[in-house]
Amino acid sequence: MNTANSSKRSFQQSVLLLLLVFTTAGAACATTGEQAVFDRGMTAFRNKAFNDARQSFETYVQGDSENALAFFYLGLTYNRLHAYADAARILEQARELDPGLPGVQLNLAISYYKQKLYKPALATLQQALEKDPESGEAHFFTGLALQGDGQFDESISHLNRAMMLDPDYAQMALYYIGRAYFKTGQHQLAQKHLQQSAAIDPTSAIGQAAEELAAGQAGRGSDRRWWLRAEIGYEYNDNLTVAETDTVSDEEDHAAIVEISGGLKLLAQPIEAEITYDLYQSLYSEYSQFNMQSHRGGISASHDFSSWDFSLGYDYTYISLDGDEFMQTQSVMPMVGLSVADLYVNTSYIWQTKDFLNDEDDRRDAQNHSGGMDFYLPSFKMIEMVNVGIRYESEGAEDEELDYTGPVLSGSLRFAVPWGITIRPFYKYQLKQYENMTLDLGEEREDIKQTLGVTMTKKLPYSLKVKGSYKYMDSDSNYSSSDYRENTVFLSLTYSL
């Protein structure tokens, strides 16, 4: 009996030992598997494969919802993917799990800042600076968040502190300090800091932005209320046209181009208002009937709010061809701009009247209405700007044959290359669907116009800039006078005051 009981106990102990071994091994395997997922996420994050990192970290936190470090790196990954709302949500979880986790306050504040949530960003940055008052990055983003909140004076000390603590922030900090001085009316100090920013690396995006802001504000700041620009250029065109009258020559020619423009600021605060004038003249060597002179005068007013802006403009343009009066236009343009995270959206409406000044073209007198949106997308890598536009246009003319509607789609990029050259490729698509029968055709007319081109600019000393461009236009139409191809090459030198 005792032997039987002893054997039974030995068997039970063996089973329990085996269960313990298998359970321990299973847990170890599970732990090893989870660690492998986390390690894959870290490797992908270090290699900047952020989509792969996101998948790994999301898988890991589904199995371990208490690991603050995993949530932290998942939040950082969302930041790198520009998904700032998701980044803030995840980093808030990481902070809840471990409020003392290094970097969690700072990166959460950056997520808020990128969403233009300046008040929460400032509150979180204050906590980050309490933990690490010597963080150059925290001071830098505090300066940016203060400027976003309209506190330009207060931003300067943090930006100065940022570049003292971390020289890598020097160029950007100098740029934003210059911006703050301009906003507070201290234009000499602004010029000084912007020039210092540009001098660090004139070919970088921030260096070029500093140069542009300094040049623009030098002419438009409150201590200098005017600006002036003069451009002289050479143009080659292999098919001279006048689109407004469906005139196609099938002839090539060379021209001198002169353009002079200027502006005068009328008001600076609380509403900015200015008047502008632009003179354009083309002088062809053989076909003088295509010589165009235009005079454009305008007045505009605008105001910037915290995350949006509004402007209203009026333009009058008078155009002559070969010395004879051709047409005049008047335009009214209200616009509203809205910033959402790193995206800027401009919504505009344009009402324009066209008045042809010779009797034979009176039938073309028209009113044009167009409305649309331009999207300015976040920059990435070498690309400084991405612009996508969509509009819808409707024109009603004196002659019903010329009434049309249709969309206009456009897109452009801007990026910098070595030697301080900026390149801007662009594309435009326009469809005009005429609403009434064209008698010459016996059917309704349809025009599809596509324009593809590239512009290259380089800044030179003494406020000079050289520009070269190429443009190809393909006008495809069932109306023969509007069916053509055109190539244009342009080279110019610009001087700005």
Side-chain angles (χ1 to χ4, degrees):
M1 185 70 177
N2 289 338
T3 302
N5 287 336
S6 176
S7 298
K8 185 175 181 180
R9 281 196 300 274
S10 297
F11 176 75
Q12 289 173 339
Q13 290 171 356
S14 298
V15 170
L16 289 172
L17 180 61
L18 285 171
L19 286 172
L20 180 62
V21 169
F22 284 129
T23 301
T24 304
C29 289
T31 302
T32 303
E34 289 175 356
Q35 186 62 43
V37 172
F38 183 83
D39 290 343
R40 279 200 302 272
M42 291 299 299
T43 300
F45 184 87
R46 284 191 292 266
N47 292 331
K48 299 183 179 180
F50 296 119
N51 279 313
D52 292 340
R54 175 184 57 79
Q55 292 175 1
S56 295
F57 290 134
E58 283 179 346
T59 300
Y60 183 89
V61 299
Q62 286 173 4
D64 185 355
S65 59
E66 301 298 320
N67 191 317
L69 190 62
F71 278 100
F72 175 69
Y73 275 103
L74 178 57
L76 291 186
T77 303
Y78 275 126
N79 261 346
R80 302 298 193 274
L81 292 170
H82 306 294
Y84 300 116
D86 288 328
R89 174 177 54 84
I90 295 297
L91 288 168
E92 284 168 356
Q93 290 180 260
R95 181 176 65 174
E96 207 172 303
L97 290 168
D98 185 358
L101 188 66
V104 69
Q105 304 281 10
L106 173 59
N107 285 281
L108 176 57
I110 292 173
S111 301
Y112 290 145
Y113 169 78
K114 292 291 188 178
Q115 296 176 80
K116 301 192 183 301
L117 302 173
Y118 301 123
K119 296 294 187 188
L122 287 169
T124 310
L125 283 163
Q126 184 177 356
Q127 295 171 1
L129 285 171
E130 287 172 359
K131 291 183 178 296
D132 184 5
E134 302 301 303
S135 169
E137 189 174 14
H139 280 286
F140 177 74
F141 276 99
T142 300
L144 265 57
L146 285 167
Q147 290 197 12
D149 198 45
Q151 302 180 58
F152 292 97
D153 277 328
E154 294 81 354
S155 73
I156 293 172
S157 61
H158 285 281
L159 293 167
N160 274 315
R161 185 69 176 152
M163 63 180 175
M164 289 176 60
L165 291 168
D166 189 344
D168 287 343
Y169 283 104
Q171 186 175 34
M172 289 188 291
L174 286 165
Y175 170 80
Y176 283 103
I177 291 170
R179 183 172 178 266
Y181 279 130
F182 266 125
K183 290 289 187 179
T184 55
Q186 303 174 73
H187 298 285
Q188 290 184 345
L189 283 171
Q191 288 284 344
K192 172 188 171 184
H193 285 83
L194 289 168
Q195 289 166 3
Q196 289 176 348
S197 175
I200 292 175
D201 183 0
T203 64
S204 67
I206 197 71
Q208 291 186 5
E211 283 187 5
E212 289 176 6
L213 182 58
Q217 295 293 344
R220 303 186 188 191
S222 62
D223 57 346
R224 188 175 180 184
R225 305 178 67 90
W226 59 274
W227 58 274
L228 183 67
R229 183 178 68 86
E231 182 175 18
I232 183 168
Y234 160 82
E235 179 183 283
Y236 166 75
N237 189 313
D238 71 347
N239 186 5
L240 299 174
T241 62
V242 180
E244 291 83 0
T245 56
D246 297 317
T247 301
V248 179
S249 70
D250 291 322
E251 299 291 346
E252 63 180 4
D253 205 351
H254 306 260
I257 305 294
V258 177
E259 186 171 0
I260 299 172
S261 59
L264 175 65
K265 179 174 286 188
L266 303 176
L267 294 172
Q269 294 293 336
I271 296 175
E272 292 188 7
E274 69 175 8
I275 56 173
T276 58
Y277 170 75
D278 183 88
L279 166 67
Y280 172 89
Q281 176 72 65
S282 61
L283 296 168
Y284 287 93
S285 61
E286 295 184 36
Y287 297 95
S288 63
Q289 63 268 37
F290 290 93
N291 290 347
M292 177 182 289
Q293 184 179 106
S294 72
H295 302 264
R296 184 190 65 83
I299 183 168
S300 63
S302 64
H303 183 69
D304 289 344
F305 298 89
S306 59
S307 61
W308 65 283
D309 57 87
F310 173 78
S311 67
L312 179 64
Y314 167 81
D315 279 355
Y316 170 81
T317 303
Y318 171 86
I319 302 173
S320 63
L321 285 177
D322 198 19
D324 297 327
E325 59 183 15
F326 175 56
M327 70 180 294
Q328 61 184 2
T329 67
Q330 297 184 72
S331 305
V332 177
M333 300 159 288
M335 290 183 286
V336 175
L338 178 65
S339 297
V340 181
D342 279 357
L343 175 68
Y344 179 76
V345 182
N346 183 285
T347 303
S348 62
Y349 165 76
I350 303 174
W351 172 79
Q352 183 181 73
T353 63
K354 299 179 180 179
D355 181 15
F356 288 81
L357 301 174
N358 48 58
D359 294 339
E360 62 187 47
D361 289 324
D362 279 350
R363 70 189 189 94
R364 296 180 180 274
D365 292 352
Q367 289 195 21
N368 184 287
H369 303 266
S370 73
M373 305 177 77
D374 281 284
F375 300 88
Y376 296 87
L377 308 176
S379 59
F380 56 95
K381 295 186 179 179
M382 289 179 60
I383 297 176
E384 300 173 356
M385 186 196 74
V386 182
N387 169 232
V388 177
I390 179 169
R391 302 190 69 78
Y392 188 80
E393 186 175 354
S394 174
E395 182 162 298
E398 288 292 324
D399 187 342
E400 292 183 350
E401 285 189 14
L402 299 173
D403 294 351
Y404 71 84
T405 60
V408 181
L409 308 175
S410 62
S412 66
L413 304 174
R414 186 181 71 198
F415 55 93
V417 296
W419 306 295
I421 297 173
T422 299
I423 298 178
R424 179 179 170 266
F426 58 89
Y427 172 77
K428 181 179 178 181
Y429 171 92
Q430 182 174 19
L431 170 63
K432 292 183 178 180
Q433 292 180 309
Y434 289 79
E435 300 177 344
N436 301 293
M437 180 182 294
T438 301
L439 294 179
D440 292 348
L441 289 174
E443 61 179 334
E444 293 177 359
R445 176 179 164 185
E446 182 178 272
D447 296 351
I448 298 176
K449 186 175 291 186
Q450 298 184 79
T451 305
L452 181 65
V454 62
T455 298
M456 293 182 290
T457 59
K458 177 176 173 56
K459 291 186 177 180
L460 303 174
Y462 308 110
S463 301
L464 293 171
K465 180 169 66 175
V466 64
K467 177 171 71 175
S469 66
Y470 166 75
K471 182 175 70 175
Y472 169 72
M473 183 178 294
D474 180 353
S475 182
D476 185 11
S477 175
N478 58 352
Y479 188 64
S480 60
S481 295
S482 190
D483 190 65
Y484 63 91
R485 310 291 178 271
E486 182 180 353
N487 292 275
T488 307
V489 177
F490 182 68
L491 182 65
S492 72
L493 184 67
T494 303
Y495 177 70
S496 300
L497 285 175

